[in-house]
């Protein structure tokens, strides 16, 4: 099977790379992590204009998709430039919105980038990613979810699943200064939301973990919701794997550039054999993950996607460890931009299925709920 990108896909990747290179993404990441999404939302709009989010939205709802290969191409570049925001979760939200009513209502906004979405699925933990910056929270709930793998729960409890949507409250109206504090508190209470207590600390400061908004409008219930949730997991794992591959490639590129200029004993440290071996190992792992990613994008088989995710995330994590070691003490510095990629690699490793969960799905696809049927030669 041929895994090389065609000319249009290559040009698409180059155009995204040029767009994101021209943007100051490290500054946007730091602002996003500090709770100011202004620069991140502006970057989000430019990415949407390039058609990235439309790749996950059907043409019937003003999208271009679904086109998983092109989506993987795009997310490699988003990871390479460590773009902040619930990128993967917005793709998952598009997969969740299968009913005509909610789809017509929300999908055009997702495709255009005017709506930023995040999701919570059974087994995915108590938090939603970047809920404080999202316009839309989609939550799938079940009466009793005991499994820990989000994909397994999504299919195993399909019959009793509910999908709810909670939208961000409108900003409070400007008020006289003497009453601003009291009225702002009253406004937050009236919407059932207080902003500060929702956010929790995360390993990656740019991935802000938030408690879900209470309540929400019921969009659907029944087996179709569970099927959509399983589909959302597949798309999320594809996007996460692609994003992780991009993060790993960026870490490798930055480390190669660093060891060429960092000198010890009068020569660049990149000339030392031990350093070269570490970089070669990181390069090989990333290149082995690449065909798994695009092969999974072609098949969209759950086990193929799990294999791609574990390979890409482990390769990125390995590249992060190599980058940290070869940079030395400066690699531990939060003010140094390398830290933005280091923390992203570690966070993506556990997102949308831990390495253990993904390996179990690959090795026992016929027995693991949600694993699908493996193709055997």
């Amino acid at each position: 099977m041929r895994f090389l990108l065609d000319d249009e896909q290559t040009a698409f990747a180059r155009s995204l790379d040029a767009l994101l290179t021209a943007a100051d993404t490290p500054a946007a990441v730091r602002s996003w992590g500090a709770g100011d999404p202004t620069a991140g939302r502006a970057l989000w709009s430019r990415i949407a204009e390039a058609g990235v989010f439309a790749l996950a939205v059907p043409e019937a709802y003003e999208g271009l998709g679904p086109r998983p290969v092109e989506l993987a191409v795009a997310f490699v570049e988003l990871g390479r430039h460590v773009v902040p925001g619930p990128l993967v979760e917005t793709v998952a939200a598009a997969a969740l919105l299968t009913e005509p009513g909610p789809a017509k209502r929300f999908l055009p906004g997702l495709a255009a980038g005017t709506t930023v979405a995040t999701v919570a699925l059974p087994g995915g933990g108590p938090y939603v990613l970047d809920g404080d910056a999202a316009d839309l929270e989609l939550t799938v709930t079940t009466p009793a979810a005991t499994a820990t793998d989000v994909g397994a729960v999504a299919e195993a409890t399909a019959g009793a699943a509910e999908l709810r949507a909670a939208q961000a409250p409108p900003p409070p109206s400007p008020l006289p200064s003497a009453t601003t504090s009291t009225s702002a508190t009253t406004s937050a209470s009236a919407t059932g939301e207080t902003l500060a207590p929702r956010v929790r600390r995360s390993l990656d400061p740019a991935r802000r973990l938030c408690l879900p908004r209470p309540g929400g409008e019921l969009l659907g219930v029944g087996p179709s919701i569970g099927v959509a949730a399983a589909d959302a997991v597949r798309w999320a794992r594809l996007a996460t794997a692609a994003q992780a591959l991009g993060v790993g490639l960026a870490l490798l590129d930055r480390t190669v550039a660093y060891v060429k200029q960092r000198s010890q004993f009068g020569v660049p440290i990149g000339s030392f054999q031990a350093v070269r071996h570490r970089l070669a190992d990181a390069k090989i792992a990333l290149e082995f993950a690449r065909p798994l990613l695009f092969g999974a994008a072609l098949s969209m088989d759950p086990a193929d996607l799990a294999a791609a995710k574990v390979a890409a995330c482990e390769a990125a994590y390995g590249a992060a460890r190599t980058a940290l070691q070869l940079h030395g003490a400066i690699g531990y510095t939060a003010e140094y931009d390398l830290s933005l990629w280091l923390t992203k690699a570690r966070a993506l490793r556990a997102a949308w299925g831990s390495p253990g969960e993904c390996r179990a799905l690959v090795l026992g696809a016929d027995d693991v709920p949600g694993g699908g049927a493996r193709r055997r030669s």
Side-chain angles (χ1 to χ4, degrees):
M1 187 175 290
R2 186 177 178 87
F3 290 111
L4 296 178
L5 302 179
D6 62 28
D7 292 341
E8 288 187 1
Q9 292 164 342
T10 301
F12 180 46
R14 288 175 178 168
S15 67
L16 279 177
D17 180 54
L19 183 156
L20 296 171
T21 299
D24 188 4
T25 52
V29 172
R30 295 185 188 281
S31 296
W32 189 282
D36 179 9
T38 305
R41 288 296 295 255
L43 182 58
W44 188 283
S45 296
R46 296 181 64 188
I47 293 168
E49 289 173 2
V52 171
F53 302 117
L55 294 170
V57 175
E59 293 182 7
Y61 301 104
E62 303 181 24
L64 301 172
R67 303 181 68 174
V69 175
E70 286 75 13
L71 188 81
V73 170
F75 268 74
V76 170
E77 298 306 318
L78 298 181
R80 193 192 300 270
H81 292 275
V82 72
V83 175
L87 302 163
V88 173
E89 287 67 24
T90 295
V91 170
L96 273 176
L97 295 168
T98 56
E99 296 296 323
K104 184 177 181 180
R105 181 177 166 191
F106 295 116
L107 285 181
L110 295 182
T114 55
T115 300
V116 175
T118 190
V119 299
L121 299 184
Y127 304 113
V128 294
L129 183 67
D130 295 316
D132 58 331
D135 305 304
L136 175 67
E137 285 184 14
L138 296 178
T139 303
V140 176
T141 58
T142 58
T146 57
T148 57
D149 182 356
V150 65
V153 173
E155 286 195 354
T157 58
E162 288 185 352
L163 174 62
R164 292 185 177 273
Q167 296 180 264
S173 303
L175 297 167
S177 57
T179 60
T180 296
S181 177
T182 302
S183 298
T185 302
T186 304
S187 175
S189 300
T191 60
E193 180 174 10
T194 55
L195 298 180
R198 292 189 65 213
V199 181
R200 298 293 186 268
R201 292 179 60 87
S202 170
L203 173 69
D204 177 5
R207 292 171 59 87
R208 293 168 63 83
L209 302 179
C210 300
L211 294 171
R213 296 185 179 113
E217 175 188 355
L218 181 64
L219 298 182
V221 61
S224 62
I225 302 302
V227 173
D231 199 35
V233 172
R234 291 192 301 126
W235 281 88
R237 284 181 174 165
L238 174 68
T240 301
Q243 194 177 15
L245 179 62
V247 169
L249 292 171
L251 283 165
L252 181 62
D253 290 343
R254 297 175 76 89
T255 306
V256 168
Y258 180 78
V259 300
K260 286 180 178 179
Q261 68 178 14
R262 175 75 167 90
S263 295
Q264 190 70 294
F265 306 112
V267 296
I269 63 173
S271 64
F272 300 152
Q273 190 176 50
V275 171
R276 291 181 174 183
H277 284 177
R278 291 298 302 270
L279 294 171
D281 288 342
K283 175 70 171 177
I284 290 170
L286 291 166
E287 290 304 321
F288 268 99
R290 192 193 301 269
L292 286 175
L293 170 66
F294 290 112
L298 288 171
S299 73
M300 290 301 285
D301 179 83
D304 290 345
L305 292 163
K309 184 193 177 299
V310 73
C313 290
E314 293 297 82
Y317 185 55
R321 290 173 63 89
T322 296
L324 185 58
Q325 183 177 27
L326 297 185
H327 274 80
I330 195 171
Y332 289 90
T333 307
E335 290 77 14
Y336 191 57
D337 284 347
L338 183 75
S339 66
L340 304 179
W341 282 267
L342 293 176
T343 54
K344 185 72 70 180
R346 180 63 183 86
L348 291 176
R349 186 172 183 249
W352 292 98
S354 69
E357 291 166 349
C358 290
R359 288 191 177 100
L361 184 54
V362 174
L363 295 174
D366 292 332
D367 302 321
V368 176
R374 293 292 289 154
R375 298 178 305 277
R376 292 183 172 86
S377 58

